[in-house]
């Protein structure tokens, strides 16, 4: 009887000890599951944050692309209008050229006729010289046009008054644009149409980008924009042969977005025949 009691007591002790071990194991498994669940939730939150940032970036890029297309269309329309105006000017000059030839021929024919006084002969010769000089100036009409872009993706840490280097010259009729320095040098005196678009890439707390048109070291027009936004200025200037025009960064440690989002273009609208017809670089 005593042995049976001891045996029952031993069995109860074993069952109790086994139950305690099961509880401890269950608690450990539960703690591990809780830790894994917390870690999974944290990773899930990070993934959602990254997805939101990606969606926001895609929206910004779509807005920037739409803005660029709109400004590009406006610029192309403006250039087309100016080209039509330039074509009318060339037609007008060609018409006047024909008129000058007829006038000169009439004067040449009249030279064979004896005039009443020597004064009339002097007037005819002087008039013929003026007309011939005008025709010579028109024949020296220069063709100047350029379009260049920044092909590097991003340009950081620009200095104060540092030229923006538009390294890829798509069009450079007349070779007046220098893509190594980002400078346009007027080859002849005249009226020029110039246009630039800059895309901001500010790296400071200001989050605003500033640039300006520069002519021979003087401000002419200013740009203000924001990261992944573009600003465009079109200016019309009367330049002398040898004048330098560039687009400069205004504040230190700022940058621009490249990849052809930033560009510089221009062309000669009217040549000034009232001054010397010498062409720079010819």
């Amino acid at each position: 009887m005593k042995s049976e009691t001891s045996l029952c007591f031993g069995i109860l002790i074993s069952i109790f000890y086994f139950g305690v071990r099961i509880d401890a194991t269950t608690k450990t498994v539960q703690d591990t599951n809780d830790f894994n669940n917390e870690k999974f939730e944290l990773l899930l939150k990070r993934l959602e944050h990254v997805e939101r940032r990606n969606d926001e970036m895609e929206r910004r890029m779509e807005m920037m692309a739409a803005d660029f297309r709109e400004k590009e269309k406006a610029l192309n329309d403006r250039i087309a209008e100016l080209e039509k105006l330039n074509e009318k000017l060339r037609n007008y000059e060609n018409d006047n050229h024909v008129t000058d030839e007829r006038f000169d021929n009439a004067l040449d024919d009249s030279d064979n006729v004896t005039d009443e006084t020597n004064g009339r002969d002097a007037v005819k010769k002087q008039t013929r010289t003026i007309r011939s000089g005008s025709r010579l100036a028109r024949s020296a009409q220069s063709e100047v046009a350029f379009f260049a872009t920044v092909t590097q993706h991003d340009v950081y840490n620009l200095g104060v008054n540092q030229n923006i280097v538009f390294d890829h010259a798509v069009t450079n009729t007349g070779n007046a644009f220098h893509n190594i320095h980002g400078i346009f040098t007027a080859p002849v005196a005249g009226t020029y149409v110039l246009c630039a678009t800059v895309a901001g890439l500010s790296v400071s707390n200001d989050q605003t980008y500033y640039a300006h048109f520069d002519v021979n070291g003087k401000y002419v027009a200013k740009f203000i924009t924001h990261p992944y936004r573009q600003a465009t200025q079109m200016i019309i200037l009367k330049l002398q042969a040898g004048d330098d025009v560039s687009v400069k960064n205004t504040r230190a440690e700022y940058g621009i977005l490249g990849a052809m989002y930033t560009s510089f273009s221009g062309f000669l609208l009217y040549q000034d025949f009232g001054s010397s017809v010498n062409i720079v670089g010819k």
Side-chain angles (χ1 to χ4, degrees), residues 239-256:
L239 302 175
Q240 298 300 318
D243 285 348
D244 290 333
V245 183
S246 61
V247 181
K248 293 181 180 291
N249 181 66
T250 301
R251 296 184 179 181
E253 304 302 325
Y254 280 56
I256 59 171

Side-chain angles (χ1 to χ4, degrees), residues 34-271:
D34 292 343
F35 175 77
N36 290 335
N37 289 337
E38 291 178 0
K39 188 174 182 180
F40 177 77
E41 291 178 358
L42 180 60
L43 291 175
L44 184 61
K45 290 180 180 179
R46 290 183 178 179
L47 179 60
E48 292 175 350
H49 179 68
V50 171
E51 290 178 345
R52 285 196 299 270
R53 290 187 60 185
N54 184 56
D55 293 341
E56 179 65 21
M57 183 60 69
E58 289 181 353
R59 285 195 295 271
R60 289 185 179 181
M61 294 299 292
E62 290 175 358
M63 292 175 61
M64 184 174 67
D67 186 57
F68 175 78
R69 289 193 296 269
E70 181 180 350
K71 291 183 177 179
E72 183 182 30
K73 181 180 181 303
L75 178 60
N76 289 334
D77 293 343
R78 181 57 178 163
I79 291 176
E81 292 177 1
L82 292 173
E83 287 178 346
K84 290 180 181 179
L85 183 62
N86 200 26
E87 181 66 23
K88 290 182 180 179
L89 175 63
R90 285 195 294 268
N91 294 335
Y92 174 78
E93 291 178 344
N94 291 334
D95 292 341
N96 286 345
H97 175 69
V98 173
T99 303
D100 291 343
E101 287 184 344
R102 293 175 179 175
F103 185 82
D104 290 340
N105 292 335
L107 288 178
D108 291 338
D109 293 339
S110 66
D111 285 343
N112 297 325
V113 180
T114 302
D115 296 314
E116 295 179 357
T117 63
N118 293 333
R120 290 184 180 180
D121 290 337
V123 170
K124 289 180 181 179
K125 292 179 180 180
Q126 182 180 7
T127 304
R128 182 164 57 252
T129 301
I130 294 174
R131 292 290 182 175
S132 298
S134 176
R135 185 168 64 251
L136 177 62
R138 291 193 184 95
S139 66
Q141 173 74 43
S142 299
E143 294 184 356
V144 183
F146 73 96
F147 169 60
T149 64
V150 178
T151 56
Q152 183 176 341
H153 181 65
D154 294 328
V155 180
Y156 292 95
N157 301 321
L158 290 169
V160 177
N161 292 327
Q162 178 179 341
N163 287 349
I164 296 177
V165 178
F166 301 86
D167 58 297
H168 180 51
V170 180
T171 302
N172 196 9
T173 303
N175 296 319
F177 179 75
H178 312 286
N179 64 316
I180 296 178
H181 306 291
I183 297 175
F184 169 71
T185 301
V188 296
T191 301
Y192 291 81
V193 178
L194 300 165
C195 181
T197 297
V198 293
L201 187 65
S202 175
V203 294
S204 71
N205 294 329
D206 188 6
Q207 295 297 308
T208 304
Y209 175 73
Y210 300 88
H212 61 274
F213 267 116
D214 180 278
V215 179
N216 297 330
K218 296 181 179 180
Y219 280 59
V220 173
K222 298 180 180 180
F223 302 83
I224 180 171
T225 185
H226 301 280
Y228 303 103
R229 292 286 189 272
Q230 292 172 304
T232 299
Q233 283 273 25
M234 176 180 286
I235 60 176
I236 301 176
L237 296 175
K238 189 173 182 63
L239 302 175
Q240 298 300 318
D243 285 348
D244 290 333
V245 183
S246 61
V247 181
K248 293 181 180 291
N249 181 66
T250 301
R251 296 184 179 181
E253 304 302 325
Y254 280 56
I256 59 171
L257 182 66
M260 294 183 289
Y261 287 107
T262 300
S263 63
F264 185 20
S265 60
F267 59 90
L268 173 63
L269 183 62
Y270 303 112
Q271 185 171 340

Side-chain angles (χ1 to χ4, degrees), residues 9-23:
F9 182 75
I11 293 172
L12 290 174
I13 292 299
S14 298
I15 293 173
F16 175 78
Y17 177 73
F18 182 71
V20 170
R21 292 189 60 185
I22 291 176
D23 291 341

